[in-house]
Structure formats: structure tokens, C-alpha cells
Amino acid sequence: MHYETLIETVKARREMLNVTQELLADLSGVGLRTLKQFESGKGNPTLETLSKLGNALGMELTFAVKDVTAK
Amino acid sequence: MHYETLIETVKARREMLNVTQELLADLSGVGLRTLKQFESGKGNPTLETLSKLGNALGMELTFAVKDVTAK
DNA sequence: ATATATAGTGCATTAAAACGCACTATATAT
DNA sequence: ATATATAGTGCGTTTTAATGCACTATATAT
């Protein structure tokens, strides 16, 4: 999953839930400035930051061997 | 995917490929010290670090809505 | 027993993530 | 037109990830 895709996924999920950046920042425990930077494509979030966002959004991070079978 | 699980997944993949930390560090472009910290459960890697390791190991990071259906 | 390969740690430095605050930009509603 | 809500940015500080180096720990082979 490319970085931009990851960002879009998070942003889409947040907007689908009708949650503002400000609320998500509160809910997740991630600083508002950090969230803004992330969603605007700047920065390089840590695993902890992604994890916090995932918890708040009902999303999960997985790291698995790439499937070469499917195209 | 919990942090420890993620670590184990990476470590298992590396060992399955018979690659040492030193070689993986070289192949991935991640510093050896950083890799050691990561695998020994210390630290909080950035997305870039995880991505680099993923590229070298043929693994992929994904971030998706948690499936509540399956248990 | 000792040489070798690999993993883990202590210590220090540098770069950058996380963060807050105040501000700007943009869209929407009144 | 202007007030309001939301997103994005500039600037600064604090914390910490990334890194190298030198060292220790452990297992394995000779």
C-alpha cells in the first residue's frame, strides 16, 4: 500500500464517519498538528501514530508477505 | 496487528529467507542499529522504516477497516 | 578452548516526528 | 458581507527515531 493510498484511506474513513480532524485528534490522542501534517501528505508518521489513528477509526495495520499470485 | 506480532512477522520472514540483520540492513537501507532496536522490541519505527523493510522482504503494509464480522 | 558469526546494548549525535499556537485559506450558512 | 466551521501552514520547542561505534552475549564450528 503506497503512502498516498494510505493517506487517502484514512481521510476517506474519517470523512465517511463524519469526523473532523479536530475530533479525530481528540479521540485518537494524536496531536492535531500531527494529524494535519499526515493528511496533507507531509511527514512520516510513526507506528504509534498510525496505531492510535487506527484504534479511533476502527482500522487496523497489517504487515504481510506480498501476494505475487494475484495481479 | 499488534506490535509484537508485527515484529515477529518481520523476524520470521527474515529468518525464513536466511537473511541476517546485517544483510537486511544493507538490502533495505535501514541502519543496522535501527533494525536491531526494532526486532528487539524497542523503539517506534516510522512508516518509512517499515516500508523499507517491507520492500526488502517482499512484504507489504496495509491499513484497512477492521473486519468485525470474522472472529 | 577458541575463533567466528550473529544478535543485543550503552552511549552519543543528528535529523526529524510530535506538538502547540497563531495564522491563513476555503467553503458554507445566515 | 460576514460569521462559522474546517483544513492547511509557518514557526518554534521538546521529544525521540535513526544512526554509528564499540562493546557484550550467545551459539556454533573447529
Side-chain angles (χ1 to χ4, degrees), chain B residues 2-4 6 9-10 13 15 20 32 36 41 55 58 67:
Chain B
H2 296 105
Y3 190 60
E4 310 80 43
L6 194 151
T9 304
V10 169
R13 175 69 175 166
E15 285 168 352
T20 64
L32 179 57
K36 283 174 182 295
N55 288 339
D67 185 358

Side-chain angles (χ1 to χ4, degrees), chain A:
Chain A
M1 185 178 233
H2 296 105
Y3 189 59
E4 310 80 43
T5 312
L6 193 152
I7 295 176
E8 286 314 308
T9 304
V10 169
K11 205 188 277 193
R13 174 68 174 167
R14 178 178 63 76
E15 285 167 353
M16 175 204 279
L17 296 172
N18 245 287
V19 171
T20 64
Q21 289 180 342
E22 194 165 0
L23 181 54
L24 177 54
D26 285 348
L27 294 176
S28 65
V30 169
L32 179 57
R33 193 61 171 76
T34 302
L35 179 56
K36 283 174 182 296
Q37 293 222 56
F38 171 64
E39 283 199 7
S40 60
K42 323 265 161 75
N44 175 25
T46 61
L47 181 55
E48 187 183 11
T49 294
L50 291 174
S51 176
K52 283 178 177 174
L53 293 176
N55 287 338
L57 293 170
M59 302 183 72
E60 194 183 20
L61 199 70
T62 63
F63 200 51
V65 176
K66 218 180 286 186
D67 186 357
V68 204
T69 308
K71 186 172 62 64

